[in-house]
Amino acid sequence: MTSGAVVKLSWAQASDIGMRATNQDAMGAARNGALTCFVVADGTGGHHGGEVASRLVADAVLGAFGAAPAFGAAALQAYVGKSIDSVAHARAADAELADMSSTVAALLVDEHAASAVWAHLGDTRIYLFRAGRMLAVTKDHSLTQQLIEAGYASADQLRVHPQRHILVAAVGAEGEVPVAVSDGAIALEAGDALLVCSDGLWEWVQENEMEQALATSARSEDWLAAMCAIADSAVKAAGKVRDNYSVYAIRVHQQEAAT
C-alpha cells in the first residue's frame, strides 16, 4: 500500500430466519470516525433464550464500543467481555433464561491505519480474503473441530459430522475456553475482503465457492447475493432444514489520505 494511503470499507448485510420458527441470530455495526465495529451472534436456549442471548451480545459489544471507541485486541476483548457480563447477568436474573448462550464474532477495523482485529467464541466465523483467495479464518470452538484436531475426524467432515453443532465454548458457556482474539493487528490491503457470518451461511458455502463468488463480483452486494444463492441451492439439493443465517460481506478499497 502506498505511503499516505488509508482504506475505506463498503459492505452488504443479510439476516434471514431460514426454515426455523424464529431467528436466533443478531447482528449490528457501528462507526466512530475511522473505526467500524461489526458483530454477529447466534443464540441458543429454551423458549426465546437464543434470541435474547444473541441480542444481548450484539448490543453489549456495540454499546461498549460506542462508550469507549478504541482500536486494538485489548479493546475488542473488553467489548466482548461486556457481552459475557451482560449474558451472565440476564441468566442469573431469569430462570427461564438460565440455559441461554450465544456465539459471537466481532471485527474491528481502523480505516486510517488500514488494520483489523477480530475476536470470537463458538462457530460464528470471520474470514479474510486477499487476491481472491482465503488468507485466514477463525477456528471454531466446536466438538467437531476438536475431533478433527485430535485425528478422530477428517477436515471434510466439518460441515457434515452428526455432532457438528455441538459447541465447546460460547458466551454464557465459556468454560475454560477463553475468547479467541487475533494475534495483533491484521494489516489490510486494497482489494481485500472480509466475511463475518453465522454457520447458517458457511455450512452451505464451501471456501472455494466463496472465492469464486468474490472473483466474479464487483460489489459487496453482488458477492453476498452470489453466496446466498449458492447456499440456497445446496440446501435444496440436500433436502434439509435451513438454519438462520446472518452475514456481513465487506470489501476493502484504497482511499488517498487528505493532504
Side-chain angles (χ1 to χ4, degrees):
M1 185 165 292
T2 59
S3 176
V6 298
V7 299
K8 61 179 180 179
L9 304 179
S10 66
W11 66 84
Q13 66 189 71
S15 185
D16 194 272
I17 196 170
M19 300 175 185
R20 302 296 189 185
T22 60
N23 189 349
Q24 298 195 340
D25 285 2
M27 62 191 303
R31 288 181 63 90
N32 188 294
L35 303 180
T36 306
C37 184
F38 301 89
V39 60
V40 173
D42 180 1
T44 62
H47 301 288
H48 295 293
E51 294 173 82
V52 174
S54 61
R55 190 71 263 163
L56 285 171
V57 166
D59 288 349
V61 170
L62 297 176
F65 168 73
F71 180 78
L76 189 56
Q77 189 162 18
Y79 302 154
V80 175
K82 290 292 187 182
S83 76
I84 293 173
D85 294 343
S86 181
V87 170
H89 178 77
R91 280 165 55 103
D94 187 339
E96 290 191 352
L97 300 177
D99 295 326
M100 73 177 181
S101 62
S102 176
T103 69
V104 62
L107 171 68
L108 184 60
V109 178
D110 184 340
E111 292 179 331
H112 286 176
S115 297
V117 291
W118 64 46
H120 85 290
L121 273 173
D123 63 355
T124 297
R125 293 183 176 182
I126 303 173
Y127 291 85
L128 171 63
F129 298 86
R130 177 162 296 158
R133 303 299 299 271
M134 190 187 80
L135 184 66
V137 61
T138 51
K139 184 180 293 186
D140 299 339
H141 296 120
S142 68
L143 178 59
T144 304
Q145 182 66 49
Q146 289 188 334
L147 292 173
I148 292 170
E149 292 176 0
Y152 294 112
S154 60
D156 60 4
Q157 291 182 283
L158 190 60
R159 288 174 168 86
V160 298
H161 195 280
Q163 296 175 308
R164 65 190 179 280
H165 296 304
I166 298 177
L167 301 181
V168 297
V171 178
E174 295 84 13
E176 298 179 357
V177 179
V179 177
V181 183
S182 52
D183 184 17
I186 302 159
L188 297 178
E189 299 178 4
D192 286 353
L194 293 145
L195 187 66
V196 188
C197 61
S198 60
D199 63 340
L201 182 83
W202 67 255
E203 185 175 346
W204 298 104
V205 186
Q206 301 285 338
E207 282 74 20
N208 67 309
E209 293 174 321
M210 296 175 185
E211 293 173 345
Q212 291 165 7
L214 179 61
T216 57
S217 303
R219 304 181 306 151
S220 299
E221 292 82 358
D222 301 330
W223 183 32
L224 176 57
M227 289 187 290
C228 288
I230 291 167
D232 289 342
S233 296
V235 172
K236 184 176 181 180
K240 294 187 177 181
V241 174
R242 178 77 185 273
D243 197 3
N244 314 145
Y245 65 90
S246 297
V247 53
Y248 282 107
I250 305 160
R251 304 291 291 262
V252 181
H253 312 277
Q254 185 166 313
Q255 177 177 281
E256 292 300 322
T259 56

